[in-house]
Amino acid sequence: MYDVVLLVEQELTEPDAKRVVELHQDMPETVKYHVLVPCHNAEAGVEASLSALGTADLYGAGLADQREDLAEAQKAIDSEASDCTGRSVQRLRDLGQQAEGGISHDRPIDALRATVKKVGGQEVIILTRPHIVAEFFHLDWTNSARRHLGVPVLHLLEYDEQKARK
């Protein structure tokens, strides 16, 4: 079994699933894909935003009153991430591949490292939209993964249907 861990920023589209599978079509062994979707932490996001604005002292105490609303927001975020993962896994299965997936609330690279270790991943594919500034300064997921993992890491840009039409 050849295990490939896919870190995806958003749902794997049909063209992206086909591209990923084509990369391994000549593999002598069975390939299994492990789809990982990072899931944002609603409460941490709100707190980080308030801190960045310098208003945490003004609203920090009020945030405690919003725990129930934040919990509901987190449920919605988790549900969408789980649905995204399920649809991505199904697209790979529709192409005759073995696939499983999950979401993570950890930092994406930490979750990636843990997944690679857990499944014995032999390759990582990171699928994102273009992030020019982060890539220029080597702060993107791909460069970070290459620094922290001992397996090949491939970065693919997501299929852009609008650009493909032009």
Side-chain angles (χ1 to χ4, degrees):
M1 181 76 64
Y2 187 79
D3 291 282
V4 177
V5 180
L6 286 166
L7 177 62
V8 297
E9 191 171 30
Q10 57 191 27
E11 185 174 323
L12 197 62
T13 63
E14 189 175 325
D16 286 330
K18 287 179 181 177
R19 270 196 316 162
V20 167
V21 170
E22 286 172 359
L23 291 171
H24 304 101
Q25 66 186 5
D26 295 329
M27 289 290 295
E29 32 185 333
T30 303
V31 176
K32 183 172 185 178
Y33 296 99
H34 306 270
V35 179
L36 178 61
V37 177
C39 191
H40 300 287
N41 181 319
E43 185 173 332
V46 170
E47 288 176 352
S49 296
L50 291 174
S51 294
L53 294 172
T55 57
D57 293 335
L58 297 174
Y59 298 106
L63 193 58
D65 297 336
Q66 304 300 316
R67 298 276 186 238
E68 192 173 308
D69 292 338
L70 288 171
E72 285 300 314
Q74 190 65 55
K75 279 185 195 176
I77 290 168
D78 290 353
S79 176
E80 177 55 34
S82 293
D83 291 348
C84 166
T85 303
R87 290 186 300 266
S88 297
V89 165
Q90 190 57 52
R91 284 201 175 93
L92 291 165
R93 289 179 179 166
D94 289 347
L95 294 170
Q97 303 301 306
Q98 291 187 29
E100 62 180 24
I103 66 171
S104 174
H105 294 98
D106 295 335
R107 289 181 44 233
I109 297 305
D110 292 342
L112 183 61
R113 286 169 69 180
T115 303
V116 167
K117 184 177 181 179
K118 177 182 169 189
V119 303
Q122 293 141 294
E123 180 181 336
V124 168
I125 297 175
I126 298 175
L127 196 69
T128 67
R129 299 179 309 263
H131 296 283
I132 305 302
V133 174
E135 290 171 14
F136 179 78
F137 289 107
H138 303 287
L139 301 172
D140 59 309
W141 290 348
T142 305
N143 281 295
S144 186
R146 287 181 179 142
R147 286 191 300 270
H148 293 96
L149 298 171
V151 298
V153 176
L154 174 65
H155 181 210
L156 296 177
L157 294 178
E158 293 171 342
Y159 177 78
D160 187 340
E161 191 173 323
Q162 291 177 344
K163 285 185 180 179
R165 288 185 199 154
K166 293 180 182 179

